[in-house]
Amino acid sequence: MYKCPFCDFKAMTISSLKKHMDRLHLTDECPICRKKVHNVLGHFYFYMEKYNDSGHTLLFYLYSRRRLSQKEKQKVGKLLETVTIKVKML
């Protein structure tokens, strides 16, 4: 079971969780640092690559439209178990 990091939704597969996230939680604002961005996926990727930030890494994989490799799915599963996304309040 994979739990959505933003609500109580639980999915049997990562692809189902990705669809849920895309339908209900996609925005032009980063839910972690509250920056308004033109390309939220690019923003997640930048923080994943430059700062090795686990929250942005998790969101990059969950919002990515491409199919994840088995290795990436395992990484997402581990991140979902260990990462708490702390949303900054305005």
Side-chain angles (χ1 to χ4, degrees), residues 19-64:
K19 287 176 188 173
H20 162 80
M21 302 260 318
D22 192 48
R23 287 185 196 131
L24 296 177
H25 300 299
L26 189 60
T27 179
D28 63 347
E29 183 178 281
C30 175
I32 296 172
C33 56
R34 304 298 284 197
K35 289 182 182 177
K36 281 250 188 222
V37 292
H38 177 69
N39 177 355
V40 73
L41 193 59
H43 171 80
F44 297 149
Y45 182 78
F46 174 79
Y47 277 83
M48 175 180 79
E49 288 294 309
K50 184 163 184 170
Y51 300 108
N52 197 27
D53 180 80
S54 57
H56 285 90
T57 300
L58 175 61
L59 293 179
F60 172 76
Y61 285 121
L62 290 176
Y63 282 114
S64 175

Side-chain angles (χ1 to χ4, degrees), residues 3-4 8 28 30 40 42 47-49 52 62 75-76 78 81-82 85:
K3 187 188 174 308
C4 174
D8 291 330
D28 63 347
C30 175
V40 73
Y47 277 83
M48 175 180 79
E49 288 294 309
N52 197 27
L62 290 176
K75 184 174 187 172
V76 168
K78 286 180 183 177
E81 291 173 3
T82 60
I85 296 180

Side-chain angles (χ1 to χ4, degrees), residues 2 13-19 21 41 45 48 57-80:
Y2 300 99
T13 65
I14 289 177
S15 64
S16 295
L17 179 58
K18 287 172 58 121
K19 287 176 188 173
M21 302 260 318
L41 193 59
Y45 182 78
M48 175 180 79
T57 300
L58 175 61
L59 293 179
F60 172 76
Y61 285 121
L62 290 176
Y63 282 114
S64 175
R65 289 201 174 22
R66 65 180 177 77
R67 293 184 88 177
L68 300 180
S69 69
Q70 193 60 37
K71 186 177 178 181
E72 290 170 328
K73 286 180 183 178
Q74 290 172 344
K75 184 174 187 172
V76 168
K78 286 180 183 177
L79 286 170
L80 282 168

